[in-house]
Amino acid sequence: MSKRVINFNPGPAALPLPVLEEIQEELLNYKGCGMSVLEISHRSDTFTSIIEDAEKRLRRLMGLNDDYTVLFLQGGASFQFAMIPMNLMHGDQVADYINTGTWSTKAIKEAQIQGKNVNVVASSEDKNFSYIPKDINFTRDAVYVHITSNNTIKGTQWAEFPDTGGVPIVSDMSSDILSRKIPVEKFGLIYAGAQKNLGPAGVTVVIIRKDLLELCADDLPTMLKYKTFAEKKSLFNTPPCFAIYVVQLVLKWLEETVGGVEKVEEINRQKAKILYDLIDSSDFYRGTAEPDSRSMMNVTFRLPTPELEAQFIEEAAANGLAGLKGHRSVGGCRASIYNATSLSAVQTLVDFMDSFAKKHR
Amino acid sequence: MSKRVINFNPGPAALPLPVLEEIQEELLNYKGCGMSVLEISHRSDTFTSIIEDAEKRLRRLMGLNDDYTVLFLQGGASFQFAMIPMNLMHGDQVADYINTGTWSTKAIKEAQIQGKNVNVVASSEDKNFSYIPKDINFTRDAVYVHITSNNTIKGTQWAEFPDTGGVPIVSDMSSDILSRKIPVEKFGLIYAGAQKNLGPAGVTVVIIRKDLLELCADDLPTMLKYKTFAEKKSLFNTPPCFAIYVVQLVLKWLEETVGGVEKVEEINRQKAKILYDLIDSSDFYRGTAEPDSRSMMNVTFRLPTPELEAQFIEEAAANGLAGLKGHRSVGGCRASIYNATSLSAVQTLVDFMDSFAKKHR
């Protein structure tokens, strides 16, 4: 078996090696129950322990109190783009959306397809989504304000969350959930596809404030209603059991091995700092996001020419550094450095970048 | 590590041991790519090979020609209950539904919630869903006829598919897909949650005839349209990669190790026969489904008293025979004997049942 590489994929992304080893170890017989975790019933005590432990750990790690309901759904963030306005917006009600890139744009489109009153109160499209808008005029009686907390493609991130005058924020946190402490009380709904910071593709975490849940539409198809899953603790029908199991292991690792969100935030800040420091000190690399809007999760950068970028990505891969190609819609390079990517892995990348620049300058 | 048990769970259900061993073997480094299959990009060549191979094998195993599109979706069969009428029924169009139990009832409800014209042309509710209706008058110009090919809870199965006068059949085949040869040409859409005969929970296979796909609604939210996934080969957004990978391995096992659908059907018929023969030759056990409607996948039966049933389930479990409890809505006992359950596993159950009956008669 060849060596494992250092994985800078944007998602599905690197998982903690101890988590993968634990999955492997117990794959044929989960905790002595005589079956694989892939074969157990979602109604069994064994699976109940898994999903309940995952929820408890997520609550502790994020500081969620009983005002919030935690759901494990399917369909990815893309499905939430449709489900959120379908459930939360009624009649003529308005929701504010801030457009910071591809994913925000898609979220806006899915609300509009349903004929909802979408108010795009800010956009950074004028500068190719390279920054996070400031000084936004929110609609006073909006049902919610939708943002994308971290933009994987453009490499931007909300450093602080806006003051919406009490309107609950609904945020796509697919690519930065649990990477830093957040002021939970500002949020009405947080959603995240698992495949970046939480686990594998195939499960979506939705955290919804109970007062918003109560406002949800009742006349929708059963599988499109948040209430269906809230009432049945995510077990209305068969959930994606294995993906939830891996999420549980990742949360256990974050809590017990890393030491929680404050600790991982400290590491994430160091990881981002050494990468951006190299980029800023170089006349070879150029960051694409404005400095005050830079993402700690997805570091996007360019080299002097597309030819050098192609060579960089290829040589990096040959040196065991995988997944550094920018999104096909923007080109360039991108290092995705989620929770499971260690500081030393990022240091290895920085060293490689430094020596590549010296060779080609 | 304790021994693996024989798993008669109704779903999620037993997987072939060689499949589990292959997953375990390559979990840290998939085919030498340096990453776990849980960590690879859904846009990578590696994953493309997996999903394309899964589709090719499914096409060969089921005898699907180019008239059909194969999709890998999320949300389970329950999500299809809503998605099917949403996509296929327009305006005043009518669809026929046949009610053979819990899952059919839910499918009917989800079409009705959307205000669609549902015509329930037959039902076996009069006899507690213990049989499959015959001599049905179908609506001549119906868009489709919806059936549940196998009823996991009631233990019934369509032995032959009805003559609908050319109206395409839409079938929930979650619990019997690939268990036997079917006349594909009768079907307009086949759907199946993977967690019984195909793989783990978390992916749903949808097979749709292209002429029906063309008739699908265009004005729906993107993630609710079949066309979205057809145009992007199931990769509009991140699919449930791991679940698709396991499906690929299960299909490879069925094709290469078992020898295909005809072969597995022969084994499935033997498995069902030895179980039903024991039940029929006994005055201790009593089958709940009418003989001509019996399922080859879920064998439901009662013992003389609920106390004996509880004791039977407990003693069986103590003897390494797990998952024999009937569905909580009906009670009694049920042995789910999907493709991954071997003839010798069923023989072990038959032997246990025989000796239990002798002890308690």
Side-chain angles (χ1 to χ4, degrees), chain A residues 2 4-5 15 24 28-29 32 34 39 43 74-75 110 222 237 328, chain B residues 2 4-5 15 24 28-29 32 34 39 43 74-75 110 222 237-238 328:
Chain A
S2 61
R4 278 174 53 86
V5 299
L15 287 168
Q24 185 178 46
L28 299 190
N29 192 342
E39 302 174 301
R43 309 263 174 224
Q74 295 185 65
E110 293 306 315
T222 308
N237 69 331
R328 59 208 148 91
Chain B
S2 62
R4 280 175 51 84
V5 300
L15 288 167
Q24 184 179 47
L28 300 189
N29 192 341
E39 303 175 298
R43 309 263 175 227
Q74 296 185 63
E110 293 307 315
T222 308
N237 70 332
T238 314
R328 58 207 148 90

PDB file of all heavy atoms in Angstrom, chain A residues 2 4-5 15 24 28-29 32 34 39 43 74-75 110 222 237 328, chain B residues 2 4-5 15 24 28-29 32 34 39 43 74-75 110 222 237-238 328:
ATOM      1  N   SER A   2       0.566   2.164  -0.924  1.00  0.00           N
ATOM      2  CA  SER A   2       1.339   3.402  -0.991  1.00  0.00           C
ATOM      3  C   SER A   2       1.028   4.275   0.219  1.00  0.00           C
ATOM      4  O   SER A   2       0.104   4.027   0.972  1.00  0.00           O
ATOM      5  CB  SER A   2       0.991   4.152  -2.275  1.00  0.00           C
ATOM      6  OG  SER A   2      -0.380   4.483  -2.266  1.00  0.00           O
ATOM      7  N   ARG A   4      -0.143   7.497   2.490  1.00  0.00           N
ATOM      8  CA  ARG A   4      -1.215   8.486   2.441  1.00  0.00           C
ATOM      9  C   ARG A   4      -0.628   9.857   2.126  1.00  0.00           C
ATOM     10  O   ARG A   4       0.464  10.191   2.550  1.00  0.00           O
ATOM     11  CB  ARG A   4      -1.967   8.528   3.777  1.00  0.00           C
ATOM     12  CG  ARG A   4      -3.013   7.408   3.879  1.00  0.00           C
ATOM     13  CD  ARG A   4      -3.670   7.351   5.240  1.00  0.00           C
ATOM     14  NE  ARG A   4      -4.230   8.619   5.687  1.00  0.00           N
ATOM     15  CZ  ARG A   4      -5.453   9.075   5.387  1.00  0.00           C
ATOM     16  NH1 ARG A   4      -6.238   8.365   4.594  1.00  0.00           N
ATOM     17  NH2 ARG A   4      -5.887  10.222   5.854  1.00  0.00           N
ATOM     18  N   VAL A   5      -1.358  10.632   1.350  1.00  0.00           N
ATOM     19  CA  VAL A   5      -0.895  11.969   0.981  1.00  0.00           C
ATOM     20  C   VAL A   5      -1.441  12.998   1.984  1.00  0.00           C
ATOM     21  O   VAL A   5      -2.269  12.689   2.819  1.00  0.00           O
ATOM     22  CB  VAL A   5      -1.358  12.348  -0.450  1.00  0.00           C
ATOM     23  CG1 VAL A   5      -0.794  11.368  -1.471  1.00  0.00           C
ATOM     24  CG2 VAL A   5      -2.888  12.397  -0.531  1.00  0.00           C
ATOM     25  N   LEU A  15     -10.138  13.559   6.521  1.00  0.00           N
ATOM     26  CA  LEU A  15     -10.706  13.200   7.821  1.00  0.00           C
ATOM     27  C   LEU A  15      -9.549  12.902   8.769  1.00  0.00           C
ATOM     28  O   LEU A  15      -8.450  12.543   8.327  1.00  0.00           O
ATOM     29  CB  LEU A  15     -11.615  11.969   7.679  1.00  0.00           C
ATOM     30  CG  LEU A  15     -12.954  12.221   6.979  1.00  0.00           C
ATOM     31  CD1 LEU A  15     -13.640  10.907   6.632  1.00  0.00           C
ATOM     32  CD2 LEU A  15     -13.875  13.072   7.848  1.00  0.00           C
ATOM     33  N   GLN A  24     -12.103   1.600  10.551  1.00  0.00           N
ATOM     34  CA  GLN A  24     -11.529   0.376   9.990  1.00  0.00           C
ATOM     35  C   GLN A  24     -11.526  -0.753  11.013  1.00  0.00           C
ATOM     36  O   GLN A  24     -11.939  -1.878  10.720  1.00  0.00           O
ATOM     37  CB  GLN A  24     -10.102   0.655   9.511  1.00  0.00           C
ATOM     38  CG  GLN A  24      -9.474  -0.520   8.810  1.00  0.00           C
ATOM     39  CD  GLN A  24      -8.078  -0.200   8.302  1.00  0.00           C
ATOM     40  OE1 GLN A  24      -7.266   0.383   9.016  1.00  0.00           O
ATOM     41  NE2 GLN A  24      -7.796  -0.563   7.069  1.00  0.00           N
ATOM     42  N   LEU A  28     -16.218  -4.639  10.830  1.00  0.00           N
ATOM     43  CA  LEU A  28     -16.916  -5.925  10.658  1.00  0.00           C
ATOM     44  C   LEU A  28     -17.839  -6.235  11.825  1.00  0.00           C
ATOM     45  O   LEU A  28     -18.744  -7.068  11.705  1.00  0.00           O
ATOM     46  CB  LEU A  28     -15.903  -7.063  10.498  1.00  0.00           C
ATOM     47  CG  LEU A  28     -14.954  -6.979   9.298  1.00  0.00           C
ATOM     48  CD1 LEU A  28     -14.186  -8.289   9.159  1.00  0.00           C
ATOM     49  CD2 LEU A  28     -15.700  -6.667   8.019  1.00  0.00           C
ATOM     50  N   ASN A  29     -17.588  -5.605  12.964  1.00  0.00           N
ATOM     51  CA  ASN A  29     -18.354  -5.956  14.168  1.00  0.00           C
ATOM     52  C   ASN A  29     -18.331  -4.755  15.103  1.00  0.00           C
ATOM     53  O   ASN A  29     -17.395  -4.562  15.872  1.00  0.00           O
ATOM     54  CB  ASN A  29     -17.721  -7.194  14.805  1.00  0.00           C
ATOM     55  CG  ASN A  29     -18.596  -7.803  15.878  1.00  0.00           C
ATOM     56  OD1 ASN A  29     -19.507  -7.170  16.399  1.00  0.00           O
ATOM     57  ND2 ASN A  29     -18.309  -9.052  16.224  1.00  0.00           N
ATOM     58  N   GLY A  32     -18.855  -5.078  19.286  1.00  0.00           N
ATOM     59  CA  GLY A  32     -19.234  -6.432  19.700  1.00  0.00           C
ATOM     60  C   GLY A  32     -20.700  -6.783  19.499  1.00  0.00           C
ATOM     61  O   GLY A  32     -21.191  -7.776  20.036  1.00  0.00           O
ATOM     62  N   GLY A  34     -21.965  -7.822  16.820  1.00  0.00           N
ATOM     63  CA  GLY A  34     -22.061  -8.932  15.875  1.00  0.00           C
ATOM     64  C   GLY A  34     -22.388  -8.505  14.456  1.00  0.00           C
ATOM     65  O   GLY A  34     -22.520  -9.342  13.562  1.00  0.00           O
ATOM     66  N   GLU A  39     -24.740  -2.357   8.979  1.00  0.00           N
ATOM     67  CA  GLU A  39     -25.814  -3.356   8.922  1.00  0.00           C
ATOM     68  C   GLU A  39     -26.833  -3.225  10.048  1.00  0.00           C
ATOM     69  O   GLU A  39     -27.791  -4.002  10.095  1.00  0.00           O
ATOM     70  CB  GLU A  39     -25.214  -4.764   9.001  1.00  0.00           C
ATOM     71  CG  GLU A  39     -24.206  -5.093   7.920  1.00  0.00           C
ATOM     72  CD  GLU A  39     -23.547  -6.448   8.152  1.00  0.00           C
ATOM     73  OE1 GLU A  39     -22.915  -6.635   9.224  1.00  0.00           O
ATOM     74  OE2 GLU A  39     -23.660  -7.319   7.289  1.00  0.00           O
ATOM     75  N   ARG A  43     -33.332   1.833  14.157  1.00  0.00           N
ATOM     76  CA  ARG A  43     -34.199   1.850  15.340  1.00  0.00           C
ATOM     77  C   ARG A  43     -33.566   1.100  16.514  1.00  0.00           C
ATOM     78  O   ARG A  43     -34.189   0.939  17.554  1.00  0.00           O
ATOM     79  CB  ARG A  43     -35.559   1.212  15.026  1.00  0.00           C
ATOM     80  CG  ARG A  43     -36.248   1.738  13.789  1.00  0.00           C
ATOM     81  CD  ARG A  43     -37.275   2.811  14.064  1.00  0.00           C
ATOM     82  NE  ARG A  43     -37.810   3.370  12.827  1.00  0.00           N
ATOM     83  CZ  ARG A  43     -37.995   4.673  12.602  1.00  0.00           C
ATOM     84  NH1 ARG A  43     -37.670   5.567  13.540  1.00  0.00           N
ATOM     85  NH2 ARG A  43     -38.478   5.106  11.465  1.00  0.00           N
ATOM     86  N   GLN A  74     -30.603  14.810   4.769  1.00  0.00           N
ATOM     87  CA  GLN A  74     -29.890  14.433   3.548  1.00  0.00           C
ATOM     88  C   GLN A  74     -30.033  15.535   2.491  1.00  0.00           C
ATOM     89  O   GLN A  74     -30.794  16.469   2.664  1.00  0.00           O
ATOM     90  CB  GLN A  74     -30.454  13.112   2.998  1.00  0.00           C
ATOM     91  CG  GLN A  74     -30.225  11.925   3.921  1.00  0.00           C
ATOM     92  CD  GLN A  74     -30.688  10.598   3.325  1.00  0.00           C
ATOM     93  OE1 GLN A  74     -30.164  10.125   2.333  1.00  0.00           O
ATOM     94  NE2 GLN A  74     -31.672   9.991   3.941  1.00  0.00           N
ATOM     95  N   GLY A  75     -29.262  15.422   1.421  1.00  0.00           N
ATOM     96  CA  GLY A  75     -29.428  16.331   0.285  1.00  0.00           C
ATOM     97  C   GLY A  75     -28.408  17.460   0.205  1.00  0.00           C
ATOM     98  O   GLY A  75     -28.392  18.190  -0.778  1.00  0.00           O
ATOM     99  N   GLU A 110     -32.785  29.670  -5.484  1.00  0.00           N
ATOM    100  CA  GLU A 110     -33.772  28.667  -5.046  1.00  0.00           C
ATOM    101  C   GLU A 110     -34.954  29.301  -4.315  1.00  0.00           C
ATOM    102  O   GLU A 110     -36.067  28.771  -4.364  1.00  0.00           O
ATOM    103  CB  GLU A 110     -33.109  27.591  -4.182  1.00  0.00           C
ATOM    104  CG  GLU A 110     -32.119  26.722  -4.938  1.00  0.00           C
ATOM    105  CD  GLU A 110     -32.697  26.077  -6.194  1.00  0.00           C
ATOM    106  OE1 GLU A 110     -33.814  25.550  -6.138  1.00  0.00           O
ATOM    107  OE2 GLU A 110     -32.020  26.118  -7.246  1.00  0.00           O
ATOM    108  N   THR A 222     -44.232  15.753   3.320  1.00  0.00           N
ATOM    109  CA  THR A 222     -43.664  15.361   4.614  1.00  0.00           C
ATOM    110  C   THR A 222     -42.145  15.483   4.670  1.00  0.00           C
ATOM    111  O   THR A 222     -41.588  15.970   5.651  1.00  0.00           O
ATOM    112  CB  THR A 222     -44.087  13.899   4.909  1.00  0.00           C
ATOM    113  OG1 THR A 222     -45.506  13.816   4.773  1.00  0.00           O
ATOM    114  CG2 THR A 222     -43.685  13.475   6.300  1.00  0.00           C
ATOM    115  N   ASN A 237     -37.703   8.630   8.637  1.00  0.00           N
ATOM    116  CA  ASN A 237     -37.394   7.464   7.795  1.00  0.00           C
ATOM    117  C   ASN A 237     -35.936   7.083   8.047  1.00  0.00           C
ATOM    118  O   ASN A 237     -35.289   7.619   8.950  1.00  0.00           O
ATOM    119  CB  ASN A 237     -37.678   7.765   6.302  1.00  0.00           C
ATOM    120  CG  ASN A 237     -36.706   8.763   5.711  1.00  0.00           C
ATOM    121  OD1 ASN A 237     -36.191   9.619   6.434  1.00  0.00           O
ATOM    122  ND2 ASN A 237     -36.461   8.670   4.418  1.00  0.00           N
ATOM    123  N   ARG A 328     -12.934  24.900 -10.524  1.00  0.00           N
ATOM    124  CA  ARG A 328     -12.955  25.000 -11.987  1.00  0.00           C
ATOM    125  C   ARG A 328     -13.560  26.309 -12.490  1.00  0.00           C
ATOM    126  O   ARG A 328     -13.260  26.753 -13.594  1.00  0.00           O
ATOM    127  CB  ARG A 328     -13.663  23.775 -12.595  1.00  0.00           C
ATOM    128  CG  ARG A 328     -15.099  23.585 -12.122  1.00  0.00           C
ATOM    129  CD  ARG A 328     -15.556  22.113 -12.157  1.00  0.00           C
ATOM    130  NE  ARG A 328     -16.501  21.873 -11.082  1.00  0.00           N
ATOM    131  CZ  ARG A 328     -17.834  21.995 -11.160  1.00  0.00           C
ATOM    132  NH1 ARG A 328     -18.394  22.314 -12.300  1.00  0.00           N
ATOM    133  NH2 ARG A 328     -18.611  21.795 -10.123  1.00  0.00           N
TER     134      ARG A 328
ATOM    135  N   SER B   2     -16.084 -10.302  19.440  1.00  0.00           N
ATOM    136  CA  SER B   2     -17.076 -11.378  19.441  1.00  0.00           C
ATOM    137  C   SER B   2     -17.390 -11.784  17.999  1.00  0.00           C
ATOM    138  O   SER B   2     -17.039 -11.113  17.045  1.00  0.00           O
ATOM    139  CB  SER B   2     -18.350 -10.929  20.150  1.00  0.00           C
ATOM    140  OG  SER B   2     -18.916  -9.838  19.458  1.00  0.00           O
ATOM    141  N   ARG B   4     -19.500 -12.550  14.546  1.00  0.00           N
ATOM    142  CA  ARG B   4     -20.602 -11.932  13.822  1.00  0.00           C
ATOM    143  C   ARG B   4     -21.837 -12.825  13.911  1.00  0.00           C
ATOM    144  O   ARG B   4     -21.728 -14.047  13.901  1.00  0.00           O
ATOM    145  CB  ARG B   4     -20.203 -11.706  12.354  1.00  0.00           C
ATOM    146  CG  ARG B   4     -19.339 -10.460  12.180  1.00  0.00           C
ATOM    147  CD  ARG B   4     -18.834 -10.298  10.765  1.00  0.00           C
ATOM    148  NE  ARG B   4     -19.871 -10.376   9.748  1.00  0.00           N
ATOM    149  CZ  ARG B   4     -20.641  -9.354   9.361  1.00  0.00           C
ATOM    150  NH1 ARG B   4     -20.486  -8.171   9.907  1.00  0.00           N
ATOM    151  NH2 ARG B   4     -21.546  -9.514   8.407  1.00  0.00           N
ATOM    152  N   VAL B   5     -23.000 -12.184  13.987  1.00  0.00           N
ATOM    153  CA  VAL B   5     -24.249 -12.932  14.062  1.00  0.00           C
ATOM    154  C   VAL B   5     -24.829 -13.123  12.655  1.00  0.00           C
ATOM    155  O   VAL B   5     -24.334 -12.551  11.684  1.00  0.00           O
ATOM    156  CB  VAL B   5     -25.284 -12.198  14.956  1.00  0.00           C
ATOM    157  CG1 VAL B   5     -24.736 -12.029  16.373  1.00  0.00           C
ATOM    158  CG2 VAL B   5     -25.662 -10.846  14.348  1.00  0.00           C
ATOM    159  N   LEU B  15     -24.962  -7.096   4.894  1.00  0.00           N
ATOM    160  CA  LEU B  15     -24.181  -6.900   3.668  1.00  0.00           C
ATOM    161  C   LEU B  15     -23.301  -8.119   3.472  1.00  0.00           C
ATOM    162  O   LEU B  15     -22.961  -8.819   4.431  1.00  0.00           O
ATOM    163  CB  LEU B  15     -23.324  -5.633   3.788  1.00  0.00           C
ATOM    164  CG  LEU B  15     -24.098  -4.311   3.718  1.00  0.00           C
ATOM    165  CD1 LEU B  15     -23.222  -3.144   4.151  1.00  0.00           C
ATOM    166  CD2 LEU B  15     -24.631  -4.075   2.308  1.00  0.00           C
ATOM    167  N   GLN B  24     -13.024  -2.594   4.496  1.00  0.00           N
ATOM    168  CA  GLN B  24     -12.085  -2.484   5.611  1.00  0.00           C
ATOM    169  C   GLN B  24     -10.642  -2.438   5.121  1.00  0.00           C
ATOM    170  O   GLN B  24      -9.854  -1.597   5.544  1.00  0.00           O
ATOM    171  CB  GLN B  24     -12.287  -3.676   6.554  1.00  0.00           C
ATOM    172  CG  GLN B  24     -11.416  -3.616   7.801  1.00  0.00           C
ATOM    173  CD  GLN B  24     -11.661  -4.806   8.715  1.00  0.00           C
ATOM    174  OE1 GLN B  24     -11.707  -5.952   8.266  1.00  0.00           O
ATOM    175  NE2 GLN B  24     -11.811  -4.534   9.994  1.00  0.00           N
ATOM    176  N   LEU B  28      -8.157   3.087   4.501  1.00  0.00           N
ATOM    177  CA  LEU B  28      -7.228   4.201   4.751  1.00  0.00           C
ATOM    178  C   LEU B  28      -6.616   4.742   3.468  1.00  0.00           C
ATOM    179  O   LEU B  28      -6.106   5.865   3.443  1.00  0.00           O
ATOM    180  CB  LEU B  28      -6.099   3.757   5.689  1.00  0.00           C
ATOM    181  CG  LEU B  28      -6.508   3.267   7.076  1.00  0.00           C
ATOM    182  CD1 LEU B  28      -5.269   3.089   7.946  1.00  0.00           C
ATOM    183  CD2 LEU B  28      -7.477   4.218   7.753  1.00  0.00           C
ATOM    184  N   ASN B  29      -6.634   3.936   2.422  1.00  0.00           N
ATOM    185  CA  ASN B  29      -5.938   4.347   1.201  1.00  0.00           C
ATOM    186  C   ASN B  29      -6.582   3.614   0.028  1.00  0.00           C
ATOM    187  O   ASN B  29      -6.241   2.477  -0.284  1.00  0.00           O
ATOM    188  CB  ASN B  29      -4.445   4.007   1.329  1.00  0.00           C
ATOM    189  CG  ASN B  29      -3.602   4.642   0.243  1.00  0.00           C
ATOM    190  OD1 ASN B  29      -4.114   5.052  -0.797  1.00  0.00           O
ATOM    191  ND2 ASN B  29      -2.294   4.712   0.484  1.00  0.00           N
ATOM    192  N   GLY B  32      -4.596   2.858  -3.617  1.00  0.00           N
ATOM    193  CA  GLY B  32      -3.294   3.521  -3.690  1.00  0.00           C
ATOM    194  C   GLY B  32      -3.342   4.998  -4.045  1.00  0.00           C
ATOM    195  O   GLY B  32      -2.326   5.596  -4.392  1.00  0.00           O
ATOM    196  N   GLY B  34      -3.807   7.340  -1.999  1.00  0.00           N
ATOM    197  CA  GLY B  34      -3.261   8.115  -0.894  1.00  0.00           C
ATOM    198  C   GLY B  34      -4.302   8.711   0.038  1.00  0.00           C
ATOM    199  O   GLY B  34      -3.970   9.409   0.996  1.00  0.00           O
ATOM    200  N   GLU B  39     -12.537  10.430   1.642  1.00  0.00           N
ATOM    201  CA  GLU B  39     -11.879  11.741   1.547  1.00  0.00           C
ATOM    202  C   GLU B  39     -11.697  12.234   0.121  1.00  0.00           C
ATOM    203  O   GLU B  39     -11.168  13.327  -0.086  1.00  0.00           O
ATOM    204  CB  GLU B  39     -10.491  11.671   2.197  1.00  0.00           C
ATOM    205  CG  GLU B  39     -10.478  11.217   3.639  1.00  0.00           C
ATOM    206  CD  GLU B  39      -9.051  11.053   4.164  1.00  0.00           C
ATOM    207  OE1 GLU B  39      -8.309  10.211   3.606  1.00  0.00           O
ATOM    208  OE2 GLU B  39      -8.671  11.747   5.113  1.00  0.00           O
ATOM    209  N   ARG B  43     -15.563  14.928  -7.764  1.00  0.00           N
ATOM    210  CA  ARG B  43     -15.227  15.316  -9.145  1.00  0.00           C
ATOM    211  C   ARG B  43     -13.934  14.629  -9.623  1.00  0.00           C
ATOM    212  O   ARG B  43     -13.456  14.897 -10.712  1.00  0.00           O
ATOM    213  CB  ARG B  43     -15.043  16.825  -9.257  1.00  0.00           C
ATOM    214  CG  ARG B  43     -16.182  17.661  -8.680  1.00  0.00           C
ATOM    215  CD  ARG B  43     -17.179  18.122  -9.717  1.00  0.00           C
ATOM    216  NE  ARG B  43     -18.307  18.811  -9.099  1.00  0.00           N
ATOM    217  CZ  ARG B  43     -19.582  18.583  -9.382  1.00  0.00           C
ATOM    218  NH1 ARG B  43     -19.919  17.694 -10.289  1.00  0.00           N
ATOM    219  NH2 ARG B  43     -20.543  19.242  -8.783  1.00  0.00           N
ATOM    220  N   GLN B  74     -30.577  11.115  -2.873  1.00  0.00           N
ATOM    221  CA  GLN B  74     -30.636  11.012  -1.416  1.00  0.00           C
ATOM    222  C   GLN B  74     -32.094  11.098  -0.948  1.00  0.00           C
ATOM    223  O   GLN B  74     -32.973  11.431  -1.719  1.00  0.00           O
ATOM    224  CB  GLN B  74     -29.812  12.126  -0.763  1.00  0.00           C
ATOM    225  CG  GLN B  74     -28.321  12.038  -1.067  1.00  0.00           C
ATOM    226  CD  GLN B  74     -27.504  13.084  -0.320  1.00  0.00           C
ATOM    227  OE1 GLN B  74     -27.444  13.100   0.905  1.00  0.00           O
ATOM    228  NE2 GLN B  74     -26.847  13.966  -1.054  1.00  0.00           N
ATOM    229  N   GLY B  75     -32.313  10.805   0.318  1.00  0.00           N
ATOM    230  CA  GLY B  75     -33.634  11.019   0.919  1.00  0.00           C
ATOM    231  C   GLY B  75     -34.478   9.761   1.070  1.00  0.00           C
ATOM    232  O   GLY B  75     -35.550   9.812   1.680  1.00  0.00           O
ATOM    233  N   GLU B 110     -48.508  11.306   0.035  1.00  0.00           N
ATOM    234  CA  GLU B 110     -47.609  12.377  -0.429  1.00  0.00           C
ATOM    235  C   GLU B 110     -48.071  12.962  -1.765  1.00  0.00           C
ATOM    236  O   GLU B 110     -47.827  14.138  -2.035  1.00  0.00           O
ATOM    237  CB  GLU B 110     -46.171  11.868  -0.524  1.00  0.00           C
ATOM    238  CG  GLU B 110     -45.557  11.538   0.825  1.00  0.00           C
ATOM    239  CD  GLU B 110     -45.628  12.666   1.844  1.00  0.00           C
ATOM    240  OE1 GLU B 110     -45.336  13.818   1.473  1.00  0.00           O
ATOM    241  OE2 GLU B 110     -46.002  12.416   3.002  1.00  0.00           O
ATOM    242  N   THR B 222     -34.521  23.291  -7.838  1.00  0.00           N
ATOM    243  CA  THR B 222     -33.505  22.506  -8.551  1.00  0.00           C
ATOM    244  C   THR B 222     -33.311  21.101  -7.984  1.00  0.00           C
ATOM    245  O   THR B 222     -33.212  20.123  -8.732  1.00  0.00           O
ATOM    246  CB  THR B 222     -32.162  23.267  -8.509  1.00  0.00           C
ATOM    247  OG1 THR B 222     -32.403  24.604  -8.972  1.00  0.00           O
ATOM    248  CG2 THR B 222     -31.130  22.604  -9.378  1.00  0.00           C
ATOM    249  N   ASN B 237     -24.755  18.240  -7.198  1.00  0.00           N
ATOM    250  CA  ASN B 237     -24.031  18.630  -5.979  1.00  0.00           C
ATOM    251  C   ASN B 237     -23.317  17.391  -5.438  1.00  0.00           C
ATOM    252  O   ASN B 237     -23.295  16.351  -6.085  1.00  0.00           O
ATOM    253  CB  ASN B 237     -24.990  19.266  -4.954  1.00  0.00           C
ATOM    254  CG  ASN B 237     -25.960  18.257  -4.352  1.00  0.00           C
ATOM    255  OD1 ASN B 237     -26.295  17.263  -4.999  1.00  0.00           O
ATOM    256  ND2 ASN B 237     -26.411  18.529  -3.148  1.00  0.00           N
ATOM    257  N   THR B 238     -22.717  17.507  -4.263  1.00  0.00           N
ATOM    258  CA  THR B 238     -21.949  16.373  -3.742  1.00  0.00           C
ATOM    259  C   THR B 238     -22.888  15.209  -3.448  1.00  0.00           C
ATOM    260  O   THR B 238     -23.808  15.351  -2.643  1.00  0.00           O
ATOM    261  CB  THR B 238     -21.215  16.765  -2.446  1.00  0.00           C
ATOM    262  OG1 THR B 238     -20.586  18.039  -2.635  1.00  0.00           O
ATOM    263  CG2 THR B 238     -20.175  15.736  -2.079  1.00  0.00           C
ATOM    264  N   ARG B 328     -42.820  -2.967  14.377  1.00  0.00           N
ATOM    265  CA  ARG B 328     -43.545  -2.512  15.587  1.00  0.00           C
ATOM    266  C   ARG B 328     -45.030  -2.251  15.325  1.00  0.00           C
ATOM    267  O   ARG B 328     -45.852  -2.328  16.228  1.00  0.00           O
ATOM    268  CB  ARG B 328     -42.863  -1.270  16.174  1.00  0.00           C
ATOM    269  CG  ARG B 328     -42.745  -0.092  15.229  1.00  0.00           C
ATOM    270  CD  ARG B 328     -41.551   0.826  15.542  1.00  0.00           C
ATOM    271  NE  ARG B 328     -41.050   1.417  14.307  1.00  0.00           N
ATOM    272  CZ  ARG B 328     -41.469   2.564  13.776  1.00  0.00           C
ATOM    273  NH1 ARG B 328     -42.369   3.282  14.386  1.00  0.00           N
ATOM    274  NH2 ARG B 328     -40.979   3.002  12.636  1.00  0.00           N
TER     275      ARG B 328
END
